[in-house]
Amino acid sequence: MLDLVGAFLLLAGTVFLLLGGLGLVRMPDLFTRIQAGTKATTLGTLLSLGGIACLRPDWALKLAVIGLFVLFTNPLSSQVLARAAHRIGTAKAPETAIDRLAEDKGEA
Amino acid sequence: MVELVVTIAAGLAGLAFLLALFRFLKGPSDADRVVAFDVLTIIAITGIALVALAEGRGIYLDVAVVYALLSFLGVIVVARYLERGL
Amino acid sequence: MDRARGVILLFASLLVFWLVLSGTAASDVVLVGIAAAAVIAMAFAGNLSFLAEFRATPSAVVAAFLYVGYFAKELVKANLAVARIVTSPALPLNPGFVKVRTRLKSRVGRALLANSITLTPGTLTVEMEGEWLYIHWVSVESPEVEAATAAIVAGFEHYLEAMYG
């Protein structure tokens, strides 16, 4: 039973990893790529690690540490990177409707 | 059954890795490459855990812990560098 | 007294982390862990621990559990949204940067809010300046501060306010 749950979680997790990769390739600009990349890979990693924990319950604690670490650091590195990219004026997709941040900095 | 699932999961993760690698090679900006690098390392964490599972060696999980730590620091450092140089 | 509480909490969480990582209770390993955790806790107390500003009242603990549940729900929703966008041939996007305001005063609370926003549907925190947050939104529903705040911030703020103030 636990094996079944583990197998399902593992497959679901890697499917989300794949969607993250797909988003990285298909999205039109850096910021949308960061969004797709961060969200899909965070959940994908958590699900995969959870699945592995179901298959090997004796590893659960260490897998939980890795999962928690990813959960806290992944959004942080994305934010730092997005901020840096915006500050150095990385190209935005032409569809970008509004940029309050650039307005407040007096750039727009 | 479990073995088959692990193989399929490894295939999916590998495919995700290739897609991210494509973005890493293509860019176009440095920041795009860093995002791709970030995603590559996160996929690699799952990859390492899958290897640990397939080989039945828990010690490999420690590699994943250290890898997660280093990749986080790496991305932060490069983002800082992009912002205003070292 | 606040400082002592911060030191003890940080020391305890670092020691637990060390024990989980080393996976043994051998006395030499534990001693090294105690020494390292003590040095770090005394050097960085009040700066690092996300427990430091936690209110530790019963209602804050309840809010913390509800927060985790709400966060998990939003994380799954965010991923289904990403999945829908990247698999549809037309890439339905309407990206933009909006500005929102938070009522949270605690630094830790604001940091958790920023992280939560990044992992929830279509939003990514780009810049923080005091009570203002700048958010990249994949499909902008409203460019106005009030409406964007209600859509992006309000859900998490409700719980985080009870936890950190």
Side-chain angles (χ1 to χ4, degrees):
Chain A
M1 183 58 206
L2 204 55
D3 275 7
L4 265 182
V5 175
F8 174 75
L9 288 178
L10 189 53
L11 283 181
T14 43
V15 165
F16 275 116
L17 287 183
L18 183 59
L19 287 170
L22 193 63
L24 209 53
V25 170
R26 288 202 67 203
M27 287 296 201
D29 73 348
L30 175 79
F31 300 98
T32 46
R33 278 174 207 147
I34 293 182
Q35 291 234 24
T38 316
K39 286 188 237 294
T41 54
T42 305
L43 186 66
T45 307
L46 289 179
L47 289 178
S48 313
L49 295 180
I52 293 172
C54 289
L55 296 173
R56 287 295 298 261
D58 50 325
W59 292 353
L61 206 55
K62 193 156 274 179
L63 289 166
V65 170
I66 302 176
L68 270 180
F69 191 78
V70 168
L71 186 61
F72 275 96
T73 59
N74 212 2
L76 241 158
S77 52
S78 304
Q79 276 156 227
V80 173
L81 190 59
R83 188 178 67 181
H86 195 277
R87 282 187 183 167
I88 60 174
T90 303
K92 290 169 284 197
E95 300 96 312
T96 307
I98 186 164
D99 191 342
R100 292 266 188 242
L101 181 51
E103 282 169 25
D104 283 6
K105 284 178 171 173
E107 289 164 1
Chain B
M1 203 279 287
V2 168
E3 234 168 71
L4 177 70
V5 168
V6 171
T7 311
I8 296 173
L12 290 170
L15 212 53
F17 197 87
L18 286 179
L19 289 170
L21 194 63
F22 171 77
R23 177 56 68 198
F24 180 77
L25 294 174
K26 185 160 180 254
S29 73
D30 292 342
D32 284 299
R33 293 179 208 274
V34 182
V35 178
F37 172 79
D38 194 22
V39 171
L40 282 172
T41 54
I42 291 160
I43 297 170
I45 292 169
T46 301
I48 294 169
L50 281 174
V51 172
L53 185 66
E55 304 272 320
R57 301 192 57 169
I59 191 84
Y60 289 175
L61 293 182
D62 292 323
V63 180
V65 173
V66 175
Y67 200 65
L69 246 154
L70 285 179
S71 88
F72 171 61
L73 286 179
V75 172
I76 298 282
V77 167
V78 177
R80 283 290 182 191
Y81 166 73
L82 288 178
E83 220 168 86
R84 57 188 164 207
L86 282 175
Chain C
M1 215 46 229
D2 261 2
R3 191 185 142 74
R5 181 170 162 244
V7 172
I8 292 166
L9 278 173
L10 185 55
F11 173 77
S13 37
L14 286 171
L15 190 58
V16 169
F17 187 57
W18 169 266
L19 291 176
V20 170
L21 277 186
S22 51
T24 148
S27 58
D28 52 341
V29 174
V30 177
L31 278 177
V32 171
I34 289 175
V39 170
I40 298 171
M42 281 190 281
F44 291 102
N47 260 328
L48 278 180
S49 177
F50 62 92
L51 295 166
E53 293 175 36
F54 191 73
R55 281 181 168 170
T57 60
S59 64
V61 175
V62 172
F65 277 105
L66 293 175
Y67 167 73
V68 171
Y70 181 71
F71 175 79
K73 196 186 87 194
E74 292 291 304
L75 181 59
V76 171
K77 257 168 61 187
N79 276 278
L80 295 178
V82 166
R84 215 184 46 239
I85 292 175
V86 302
T87 53
S88 72
L91 277 184
L93 293 173
N94 176 29
F97 296 83
V98 296
K99 184 177 180 180
V100 297
R101 185 212 299 262
T102 173
R103 295 197 304 268
L104 296 174
K105 297 281 181 289
S106 146
R107 284 181 310 152
V108 183
R110 282 179 181 169
L112 277 178
L113 177 69
N115 263 12
S116 306
I117 288 173
T118 298
L119 287 176
T120 51
T123 52
L124 167 73
T125 310
V126 177
E127 184 95 67
M128 286 176 85
E129 268 178 25
E131 57 175 356
W132 299 103
L133 281 84
Y134 296 88
I135 312 282
H136 180 260
W137 205 352
V138 164
S139 48
V140 176
E141 286 157 26
S142 165
E144 300 311 320
V145 171
E146 301 303 326
T149 303
I152 297 173
V153 177
F156 288 111
E157 199 173 50
H158 174 68
Y159 300 112
L160 287 169
E161 202 163 36
M163 288 159 67
Y164 291 100

